[in-house]
Amino acid sequence: MNLKFINRNIFILVKIISTMLITSAIGLESWNIYAVITNSNLPSSLNPIFWIERFAMTTHFVESIIAAFYAPSRKKMPIKYAIYTFFVGTIGLLELFSQENGY
């Protein structure tokens, strides 16, 4: 896939939204852990949201592991690129594997 044909503004928008959603997912999971530790009850209507955020965090985590593994071959720092990919998701992998610098 050649990233030249994808609009750069869409990439930026997706990166911002993805970072905000993953940060929110970390907050939700922290709230859930706090509720379990303090024996508090969370609304049961949040259960589907918790499952969705866990799935998203798991996929982003797997993507970050892939990015950390392949980053040295692209002359990138593994831990730095893994964290970046964790927050931006698939776009981080697309940027890592693109042949050109940037987009």
Side-chain angles (χ1 to χ4, degrees), residues 5 7 11-12 16 26 28 32 36 39 43-44 49 54 62 64-65 71 75-77 79 84-86 89 92-93 97:
F5 297 108
N7 190 347
F11 264 27
I12 292 170
I16 292 169
I26 292 170
L28 275 174
N32 188 31
V36 169
N39 293 326
S44 61
I49 294 172
R54 288 176 187 146
V62 169
S64 68
I65 290 172
K75 297 182 173 103
K76 306 272 186 185
M77 291 182 60
I79 190 73
Y84 172 72
T85 303
F86 178 76
L93 286 178
F97 292 124

Side-chain angles (χ1 to χ4, degrees), residues 1-11 98 100 103:
M1 173 184 259
N2 189 351
L3 299 178
K4 187 189 291 186
F5 297 108
I6 297 177
N7 190 347
R8 183 178 180 145
N9 294 333
I10 292 174
F11 264 27
S98 71
E100 306 157 358
Y103 301 107

